[in-house]
Amino acid sequence: MTVQTLKIKRPDDWHLHLRDGEMLEAVLPETTRHFARAIIMPNLVPPVVTNEEAKAYRERIMQAVPSGDNFEPLMTLYLTEDTDPDDLEQAFKSGTVHAAKLYPAGATTNSENGVRNFENIMPVLERMAEIGMTLCVHGEVTDPAIDIFDREKVFIEAVLDPLRQRLPQLRVTMEHITTSDAVDYVTGSTGPLGASITTHHLMINRNAILVGGIKPHYYCLPVAKREEHRLALVKSATSKDERFFLGTDSAPHLDKAKIDVCGCAGIFTSTNTMACLAQVFDDENALDRLEAFSSLNGPKHYQLDANEEMITLVKRDIPTVFPASITTPDGPVTVFDPMTPLYWDVES
Ligand code: DOR
Ligand code: ZN
């Protein structure tokens, strides 16, 4: 029985991995069912580096959109030390590409072609600052001497803050923040800075990965931190601060690649993200802030209009049942299990 409904503007996902080929076909409907737009991550193999490659990838995504769904992929370029500022400017001005993604080399899945020496991308970053193009940052240092749970905090101090001081007009998205340090950095800053927060980092702490056996489906990067950090993320997502918005970082990997001696980082949340978020916001008595987080703050940061269309979320008196996995020709991809009942769903 329905106990409550909530109407909000159709949400967007400001950080999404769709992959390519059969995986793209399998996962895309899970996003287009609820979301109007998404910032598409460029960490394919090989990565999406040039304007031409972004246009071609965009075409492949459009081909895979289920008929009847309206979806606009907002493309990104993968920054390398060889990125051509002119090509990047053209990509941005053509309207296809909305941002460029900075992966420190070795920080995460398919980041080997990322940046080793940040000095070498200064001309590109200066151009981005000039033309108002957003830099999406995977904010973790890769120094083996730095503990994995400290890599975000150290990145902010050692790389991000000095960079923003050097180029204060550069628009920056701190992607998938996981710590109270990142929250504090955003709230204490001035200038064009926003931060995306994932569904899973609002719902799990590091115990999910490590207590009662090792749980590869909860492993992602940046890795989930202590409970105090999760609480800081929930507080910022449900606050009135417009600089925090949804970026799911939904990252599909085949189960066989997750459950391995060296399992891949990534959690697939597209299927139940809106139900998870409604539950988190409901538990915080902050349902009136859900629309801002999932549908208003992101477009504002990316200087786009919010969607016109609305969706309705429904709360029932029995938990919603989501599929445990989705099927691909190469095997299943496990859907995020939030380890708590979800009473919300999106009305279809
Ligand atoms: O957990 C993650 N998975 N973090 C990332 O930064 C990349 C992503 C992926 O591509 O699988
Ligand atoms: Zn990601």
Side-chain angles (χ1 to χ4, degrees), residues 15 17 19 41 43 101 103 107-110 138 140 176 200-201 219-223 249-253 258 264-267:
H15 184 131
H17 296 270
R19 317 301 188 202
M41 286 298 121
N43 62 334
K101 176 74 189 247
Y103 287 107
T108 187
T109 310
N110 303 334
H138 183 109
E140 288 190 288
H176 43 52
H200 46 281
H201 288 114
Y219 174 62
C220 66
L221 287 169
V223 70
D249 199 12
S250 183
H253 290 278
K258 293 283 299 170
C264 294
I267 301 182

Coordinates of all heavy atoms in Angstrom, one line a residue, residues 15 17 19 41 43 101 103 107-110 138 140 176 200-201 219-223 249-253 258 264-267, ligand 1:
H15 N 27.8 11.8 -12.8 CA 29.0 11.0 -12.9 C 28.6 9.6 -13.1 O 28.1 8.9 -12.2 CB 29.8 11.1 -11.6 CG 31.1 10.3 -11.6 ND1 32.3 10.9 -11.2 CD2 31.4 9.0 -12.0 CE1 33.3 10.0 -11.3 NE2 32.8 8.8 -11.8
H17 N 29.5 5.7 -15.4 CA 30.2 4.9 -16.2 C 29.3 4.0 -17.0 O 28.5 3.2 -16.4 CB 31.2 4.0 -15.4 CG 32.2 4.7 -14.7 ND1 33.4 5.1 -15.2 CD2 32.2 5.3 -13.4 CE1 34.1 5.8 -14.3 NE2 33.4 5.9 -13.2
R19 N 30.6 2.3 -20.0 CA 31.4 1.3 -20.8 C 31.0 1.4 -22.3 O 30.5 2.4 -22.8 CB 31.3 -0.1 -20.3 CG 31.3 -0.2 -18.8 CD 32.6 0.3 -18.1 NE 32.6 -0.1 -16.7 CZ 33.3 0.6 -15.8 NH1 34.1 1.6 -16.1 NH2 33.3 0.2 -14.5
M41 N 31.6 9.2 -18.1 CA 33.0 9.0 -17.8 C 33.7 8.5 -19.0 O 33.2 7.6 -19.7 CB 33.2 8.1 -16.6 CG 32.9 8.9 -15.3 SD 34.0 10.3 -15.1 CE 32.8 11.6 -15.0
N43 N 36.7 6.8 -19.2 CA 37.7 5.8 -19.0 C 37.5 4.5 -19.6 O 37.5 3.4 -19.0 CB 38.0 5.6 -17.5 CG 36.8 5.1 -16.7 OD1 35.7 5.3 -17.1 ND2 37.1 4.4 -15.6
K101 N 38.0 15.2 -17.7 CA 38.2 14.4 -16.5 C 39.7 14.2 -16.2 O 40.5 13.8 -17.1 CB 37.6 13.0 -16.7 CG 37.8 12.1 -15.5 CD 36.9 12.4 -14.3 CE 37.3 11.6 -13.1 NZ 36.3 10.7 -12.6
Y103 N 42.3 12.1 -14.3 CA 42.6 11.0 -13.5 C 44.1 11.0 -13.2 O 44.9 11.0 -14.1 CB 42.4 9.7 -14.3 CG 40.9 9.3 -14.4 CD1 40.3 9.4 -15.7 CD2 40.2 8.7 -13.4 CE1 39.0 9.0 -15.8 CE2 38.9 8.3 -13.5 CZ 38.3 8.4 -14.8 OH 37.0 8.0 -14.9
A107 N 45.3 5.9 -10.4 CA 44.4 6.1 -9.2 C 43.3 5.1 -9.2 O 42.8 4.8 -8.1 CB 43.9 7.5 -9.2
T108 N 42.9 4.7 -10.4 CA 41.7 3.8 -10.4 C 41.6 3.1 -11.7 O 42.5 3.0 -12.5 CB 40.4 4.7 -10.1 OG1 39.3 3.8 -10.0 CG2 40.1 5.7 -11.3
T109 N 40.4 2.4 -12.0 CA 40.2 1.6 -13.2 C 40.5 2.4 -14.4 O 40.0 3.6 -14.6 CB 38.6 1.3 -13.2 OG1 38.3 0.7 -12.0 CG2 38.4 0.3 -14.3
N110 N 41.3 1.9 -15.3 CA 41.7 2.5 -16.6 C 42.2 3.9 -16.5 O 41.8 4.8 -17.2 CB 40.5 2.4 -17.6 CG 39.9 1.0 -17.8 OD1 40.7 0.1 -17.6 ND2 38.7 0.9 -18.1
H138 N 39.2 13.3 -10.2 CA 39.3 12.1 -9.3 C 40.4 12.5 -8.3 O 41.6 12.4 -8.6 CB 39.7 10.8 -10.1 CG 39.8 9.6 -9.2 ND1 38.8 8.6 -9.2 CD2 40.6 9.3 -8.1 CE1 39.1 7.7 -8.3 NE2 40.2 8.1 -7.6
E140 N 42.5 11.7 -5.7 CA 43.3 10.9 -4.8 C 44.7 10.9 -5.3 O 45.0 10.8 -6.5 CB 42.8 9.4 -4.9 CG 41.5 9.2 -4.2 CD 41.2 7.7 -4.1 OE1 40.9 7.1 -5.1 OE2 41.3 7.1 -3.0
H176 N 32.9 12.4 -6.6 CA 32.7 11.3 -5.6 C 33.4 11.5 -4.3 O 34.3 10.7 -3.9 CB 32.9 9.9 -6.1 CG 34.2 9.8 -7.0 ND1 35.4 10.2 -6.6 CD2 34.4 9.3 -8.2 CE1 36.3 10.0 -7.5 NE2 35.7 9.4 -8.5
H200 N 26.2 5.2 -3.0 CA 26.8 4.2 -2.1 C 27.6 4.9 -0.9 O 27.5 4.4 0.2 CB 27.6 3.1 -2.8 CG 28.6 3.6 -3.8 ND1 28.2 4.0 -5.1 CD2 29.9 3.8 -3.7 CE1 29.3 4.4 -5.7 NE2 30.4 4.3 -5.0
H201 N 28.3 6.0 -1.2 CA 29.0 6.6 -0.1 C 28.1 7.3 0.9 O 28.5 7.6 2.0 CB 30.0 7.6 -0.6 CG 31.2 7.0 -1.3 ND1 31.5 7.1 -2.7 CD2 32.2 6.2 -0.8 CE1 32.5 6.4 -3.0 NE2 33.0 5.8 -1.9
Y219 N 33.5 -2.8 -2.8 CA 34.8 -2.1 -3.1 C 34.7 -1.2 -4.3 O 34.2 -1.5 -5.4 CB 35.8 -3.2 -3.3 CG 37.2 -2.6 -3.7 CD1 37.8 -1.7 -2.8 CD2 37.7 -2.8 -5.0 CE1 39.0 -1.1 -3.2 CE2 38.9 -2.2 -5.3 CZ 39.6 -1.4 -4.5 OH 40.7 -0.8 -4.8
C220 N 35.1 0.1 -4.0 CA 35.1 1.1 -5.1 C 36.2 2.0 -4.7 O 36.8 1.9 -3.7 CB 33.8 1.8 -5.1 SG 33.5 2.8 -3.7
L221 N 36.5 2.9 -5.7 CA 37.5 4.0 -5.4 C 36.9 5.3 -5.7 O 36.2 5.5 -6.7 CB 38.7 3.8 -6.3 CG 39.6 2.6 -5.9 CD1 40.6 2.3 -6.9 CD2 40.3 2.9 -4.5
P222 N 37.1 6.3 -4.8 CA 37.7 6.2 -3.5 C 37.0 5.2 -2.6 O 35.8 5.2 -2.6 CB 37.7 7.6 -3.0 CG 37.4 8.5 -4.1 CD 36.6 7.7 -5.1
V223 N 37.8 4.5 -1.9 CA 37.2 3.5 -1.0 C 36.3 4.1 0.1 O 36.6 5.3 0.5 CB 38.4 2.6 -0.4 CG1 39.2 3.4 0.6 CG2 37.9 1.3 0.2
D249 N 28.5 7.6 -9.8 CA 29.7 6.8 -10.1 C 29.3 5.3 -10.2 O 30.1 4.4 -9.9 CB 30.7 6.9 -9.0 CG 32.1 6.5 -9.4 OD1 32.3 6.3 -10.6 OD2 33.0 6.3 -8.5
S250 N 28.1 5.1 -10.7 CA 27.6 3.7 -11.0 C 28.6 3.2 -12.0 O 28.8 3.7 -13.1 CB 26.2 3.7 -11.6 OG 25.8 2.4 -11.8
A251 N 29.3 2.1 -11.6 CA 30.4 1.6 -12.4 C 30.3 0.0 -12.5 O 30.7 -0.7 -11.7 CB 31.7 1.9 -11.7
P252 N 29.7 -0.4 -13.6 CA 29.5 -1.8 -13.8 C 30.7 -2.6 -14.1 O 31.5 -2.2 -15.0 CB 28.5 -1.9 -15.0 CG 28.8 -0.6 -15.8 CD 29.2 0.4 -14.8
H253 N 30.9 -3.7 -13.4 CA 31.9 -4.7 -13.7 C 31.2 -6.1 -13.7 O 30.3 -6.3 -12.8 CB 33.0 -4.7 -12.7 CG 33.9 -3.5 -12.7 ND1 34.9 -3.3 -13.6 CD2 33.9 -2.4 -12.0 CE1 35.5 -2.2 -13.4 NE2 34.9 -1.5 -12.4
K258 N 34.8 -8.7 -10.4 CA 34.7 -8.2 -9.1 C 35.2 -9.3 -8.1 O 35.9 -9.0 -7.1 CB 33.3 -7.9 -8.7 CG 32.6 -6.7 -9.4 CD 33.1 -5.4 -8.9 CE 32.8 -5.1 -7.5 NZ 33.5 -3.8 -7.0
C264 N 38.0 -5.8 -9.3 CA 37.9 -4.4 -9.8 C 37.1 -3.5 -8.8 O 36.2 -3.9 -8.1 CB 37.1 -4.4 -11.1 SG 37.9 -5.2 -12.5
A265 N 37.5 -2.2 -8.9 CA 36.8 -1.2 -8.1 C 35.5 -0.7 -8.8 O 35.6 -0.4 -10.0 CB 37.7 0.0 -7.8
G266 N 34.4 -0.7 -8.2 CA 33.2 -0.1 -8.8 C 32.0 -0.7 -8.3 O 31.9 -2.0 -8.0
I267 N 30.9 0.1 -8.1 CA 29.6 -0.4 -7.5 C 28.6 0.0 -8.5 O 28.5 1.2 -8.9 CB 29.4 0.2 -6.1 CG1 30.5 -0.2 -5.2 CG2 28.0 -0.3 -5.6 CD1 30.4 0.3 -3.7
Ligands
DOR1 O1 35.1 2.5 -8.1 C1 35.4 3.1 -9.1 N1 35.1 2.5 -10.4 N2 36.0 4.2 -9.1 C2 36.5 4.8 -10.2 O2 37.1 5.8 -10.0 C3 36.4 4.2 -11.5 C4 35.3 3.3 -11.5 C5 35.3 2.3 -12.8 O3 35.5 2.8 -13.9 O4 35.0 1.2 -12.6

